[in-house]
Amino acid sequence: MAILQFTHASILNSNAQLLVLPVNNTGIVLDPVLTRAKTLFPDNYSHYHRACRDGSLNVGSCLLNKRTREQVGLGISSNGNQPNYIANLVISNHPYHPARTRWLTAALIDLQQQIMPLIRYQGIRRVALLARPLISGRPRDIVSSESTTVDTLPLDWHADTLPLLTEYLQDLPKLRIDIHLPKSIEL
């Protein structure tokens, strides 16, 4: 069973073997942490951006990128802890559109299926997940008066995102998953 741990530390300083970055399928990155990751891991960004351009990246999927040995190392970033894999979790169809429950669920299922061989055959034991793009900045009661269906509501951390992460990631064997939260969410 996986151990989920919550932290406010920067995901870019993590010593995880696999980074999970929630993205959209347009290739546009607005989150400051994702923008920094774009600079630190240019191989991942070019792979992700190419998949967005050619239309092969669907919302609700996970694009796993195995980093090449030349690009993994001390020269790329300021810390020596480089991930071997980066999973781009496609949770939205536009940077200004919030993630939806069905998109996050489908992306987590895809991630779960792609992580299993990495755990079994590559010895992956530490994963870091960036949670900020999965959390809406707008209170749900304000948004719900504007919307008519539950599926179009932005995700709430306690009601939507945390239960989905627990449901789909908890059963992964021999894994520690650090979930990097914004400081506005209490641990």
Side-chain angles (χ1 to χ4, degrees), residues 120-160:
R120 187 170 293 137
Y121 303 117
Q122 301 299 320
I124 297 292
R125 297 290 175 254
R126 300 241 6 208
V127 174
L129 183 138
L130 179 64
R132 184 173 37 207
L134 302 174
I135 303 167
S136 172
R138 297 170 58 190
R140 181 172 254 192
D141 54 347
I142 293 172
V143 178
S144 63
S145 64
E146 302 168 3
S147 302
T148 56
T149 64
V150 173
D151 189 50
T152 60
L153 291 175
L155 297 178
D156 178 71
W157 172 249
H158 295 289
D160 303 314

Side-chain angles (χ1 to χ4, degrees), residues 56-112:
S56 64
L57 198 59
N58 297 319
V59 178
S61 65
C62 178
L63 177 67
L64 187 66
N65 181 30
K66 180 178 185 338
R67 305 197 58 232
T68 57
R69 193 165 286 285
E70 296 85 43
Q71 293 163 328
V72 176
L74 295 174
I76 298 292
S77 90
S78 59
N79 79 1
N81 303 324
Q82 287 290 302
N84 295 326
Y85 296 89
I86 298 178
N88 298 286
L89 203 63
V90 186
I91 52 134
S92 175
N93 60 357
H94 192 276
Y96 292 119
H97 297 168
R100 295 187 181 162
T101 304
R102 65 185 160 107
W103 292 341
L104 179 57
T105 302
L108 287 172
I109 290 170
D110 195 15
L111 173 67
Q112 185 182 42

